[in-house]
Amino acid sequence: LASWLAEPSDVVARWRAEPAKVEVGQPIELVLLVEHPLDRAVRLPKEAPGLDDSWAVLEREEPRTRPEPSQAGRARTEVRFQVCSLEPGEREIPALELSCGSESVKCEALELAVAGVLGEGQDAARPPKGFREPLERKLGKDSGLRTQDSG
């Protein structure tokens, strides 16, 4: 009876992003984690998979596989990417198909929140921090203050 039921996979893959909420252009550490049997190799993508031109890939580390000390015969393989989104909004790191030995496994998509640089309701960039407003604008033109360009 139980032989026709699908057995759960002994390979698990998932994305992790740190931090999960960022602003446009802020670096995100994107980690692909794969938990698998120690005697099977995982084939990982060479590039940050599925990211279009609205993403910048800043760095990709070489994959690392380590035995799981708490689970005999198990290992964890991870690959880290440093990326940033060039667009605001709810963004998605796409789902990914991997192979581990002869088994195919799917890593589900990951949702990220990317805030824009402009505040809500703003349509122009905020003034740079640390600069003062010009005195003429602050006091008004009728203040009697003479500036170099007012003659």
Side-chain angles (χ1 to χ4, degrees):
L1 175 68
S3 62
W4 62 271
L5 294 174
E7 292 184 23
S9 173
D10 59 350
V11 179
V12 178
R14 67 183 181 278
W15 287 115
R16 185 180 75 213
E18 297 169 3
K21 291 183 179 183
V22 294
E23 285 188 348
V24 169
Q26 181 180 352
I28 303 163
E29 183 174 66
L30 187 58
V31 183
L32 176 60
L33 296 167
V34 185
E35 296 169 1
H36 58 92
L38 186 58
D39 62 348
R40 289 198 269 170
V42 179
R43 278 177 275 182
L44 296 168
K46 299 257 186 241
E47 304 286 322
L51 300 181
D52 61 21
D53 290 344
S54 67
W55 293 91
V57 179
L58 308 172
E59 184 179 351
R60 179 197 185 269
E61 292 183 8
E62 288 300 312
R64 290 183 283 182
T65 300
R66 296 185 182 139
E68 281 287 344
S70 61
Q71 296 177 322
R74 301 284 299 165
R76 174 183 282 203
T77 297
E78 65 179 52
V79 62
R80 295 173 181 273
F81 302 92
Q82 196 73 254
V83 301
C84 66
S85 175
L86 304 176
E87 294 180 2
E90 293 300 317
R91 304 298 315 269
E92 181 181 272
I93 304 299
L96 175 67
E97 289 286 330
L98 299 170
S99 61
C100 182
S102 62
E103 186 175 351
S104 180
V105 66
K106 185 175 183 177
C107 178
E108 297 297 327
L110 175 68
E111 298 292 324
L112 295 172
V114 179
V117 178
L118 299 178
E120 193 171 317
Q122 288 184 325
D123 61 354
R126 288 176 249 150
K129 291 182 180 179
F131 289 90
R132 292 180 159 168
E133 235 181 284
L135 282 177
E136 184 177 290
R137 193 162 133 208
K138 192 173 185 178
L139 299 174
K141 285 194 178 242
D142 300 334
S143 68
L145 180 67
R146 291 180 61 100
T147 59
Q148 285 183 342
D149 60 313
S150 64

